[in-house]
């Protein structure tokens, strides 16, 4: 028996990486999962892994920047699963680089897929979470928000900082509805990290060496398991927090 038995989670960007790891960890504790993402083949792979763990899983193809469709997809997920108890806003498509090299469209992309998408999902999920007696929202942010040297990370950190603020505001406003809202800032061995590591091997080596626990977190065992804990009853008094899942790393840079 898992502490999330009977719960239903909606996880965006769940076709790979951190989103997939979170979905797998939630399933390990008994939650059924609506798997959202842009690529049908990746969603089908995640769903197969989840079903192998004995839970229900259904794919929903969606680019989270298409906020006009968010309510439709959330309502469909609630109808198929009989409600929603957990929302994880993980999907993000942003831009990196020096500010003077970024165009307006690149800068906006991070906000469209980050705080604007999360805002749409949170509002769409609110009535379903409230109807179930409350629930949990977890938003994925980043430790880049608190780097001293933000060179090339300005657009990314700006979007994630906005999402962190949105998290706290929703926690304050929706606590009376029984809805807890938290953010996590992970270091995760995701496909995106692997690509960055390959492109910047010296910086990646320095980055990893700055983590006291000595490694970048596993998407399921380190990041997903922590999110599953936050979504469970043992964390019932935790809301409005931003939790670093970074192996104890000091502000890098």
């Amino acid at each position: 028996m898992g502490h999330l038995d009977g719960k239903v989670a909606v996880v965006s960007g769940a076709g790979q990486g951190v989103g997939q790891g979170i979905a797998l960890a939630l399933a390990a504790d008994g939650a059924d999962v609506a798997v959202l993402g842009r690529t049908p083949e990746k969603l089908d792979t995640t769903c197969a892994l989840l079903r192998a763990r004995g839970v229900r899983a259904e794919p929903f193809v969606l680019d989270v920047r298409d906020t006009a469709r968010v309510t439709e997809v959330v309502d469909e997920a609630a109808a198929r699963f009989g409600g929603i108890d957990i929302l994880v806003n993980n999907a993000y498509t942003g831009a990196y680089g020096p500010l003077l090299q970024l165009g307006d469209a690149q800068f906006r992309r991070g906000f469209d897929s980050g705080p604007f998408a999360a805002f749409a999902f949170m509002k769409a999920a609110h009535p379903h979470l409230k109807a179930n007696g409350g629930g949990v929202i977890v938003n994925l942010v980043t430790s880049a928000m608190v780097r001293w040297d933000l060179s090339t990370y300005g657009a990314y950190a700006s979007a994630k900082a906005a999402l962190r603020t949105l998290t706290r505001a929703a926690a304050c406003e929706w606590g009376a509805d029984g809805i807890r809202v938290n953010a996590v800032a992970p270091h995760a061995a995701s496909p995106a990290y692997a690509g960055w590591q390959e492109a910047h091997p010296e910086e990646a080596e320095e980055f990893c060496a700055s983590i006291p626990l000595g490694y970048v977190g596993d998407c399921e065992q380190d990041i997903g398991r922590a999110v599953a804990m936050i979504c469970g009853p043992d964390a019932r008094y935790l809301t409005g927090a931003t939790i670093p899942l970074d192996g104890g790393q000091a502000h890098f840079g």
Side-chain angles (χ1 to χ4, degrees), residues 23-216:
L24 289 169
L26 293 172
D29 279 330
D32 297 325
V33 186
V35 180
L36 277 60
R38 294 180 296 176
T39 308
E41 295 78 14
K42 292 180 179 180
L43 300 183
D44 289 341
T45 296
T46 297
C47 285
L49 293 171
L50 295 170
R51 290 168 186 151
R53 298 192 177 195
V55 303
R56 288 184 60 196
E58 297 290 342
F60 296 83
V61 179
L62 176 70
D63 184 329
V64 298
R65 292 175 295 177
D66 185 4
T67 54
R69 289 195 58 226
V70 166
T71 297
E72 167 196 337
V73 171
V74 169
D75 288 348
E76 182 181 353
R80 285 200 207 179
F81 285 93
I84 296 171
D85 304 282
I86 298 164
L87 169 66
V88 179
N89 285 306
N90 165 70
Y92 174 80
T93 303
Y96 306 87
L99 296 177
L100 290 177
Q101 295 180 15
L102 296 176
D104 290 352
Q106 291 174 297
F107 191 77
R108 287 195 188 97
R109 189 169 68 213
F111 280 82
D112 288 340
S113 64
F116 280 103
F119 183 52
F121 271 101
M122 291 162 67
K123 290 192 298 179
H126 178 275
H128 301 292
L129 296 170
K130 184 178 179 180
N132 274 6
V136 184
I137 298 172
V138 179
N139 295 324
L140 275 287
V141 293
T142 176
S143 62
M145 298 180 303
V146 294
R147 285 176 65 114
W148 290 114
D149 181 1
L150 272 168
S151 302
T152 74
Y153 291 94
Y156 176 52
S158 295
K160 292 295 189 176
L163 181 54
R164 180 185 186 182
T165 302
L166 177 64
T167 298
R168 182 69 188 186
C172 293
E173 294 183 11
W174 296 352
D177 298 323
I179 299 171
R180 296 189 293 110
V181 191
N182 291 291
V184 296
H187 289 339
S190 65
Y193 174 79
W196 176 77
Q197 184 180 38
E198 183 176 352
H200 307 278
E202 293 183 3
E203 186 179 356
E205 184 178 357
E206 182 183 358
F207 176 83
C208 192
S210 72
I211 300 174
L213 291 184
Y215 70 98
V216 176

Side-chain angles (χ1 to χ4, degrees), residues 223-244:
I223 311 308
R225 293 301 308 152
V227 171
M229 180 275 292
I230 291 167
C231 293
D234 288 346
R236 69 177 194 170
Y237 201 54
L238 180 66
T239 193
T242 298
I243 301 162

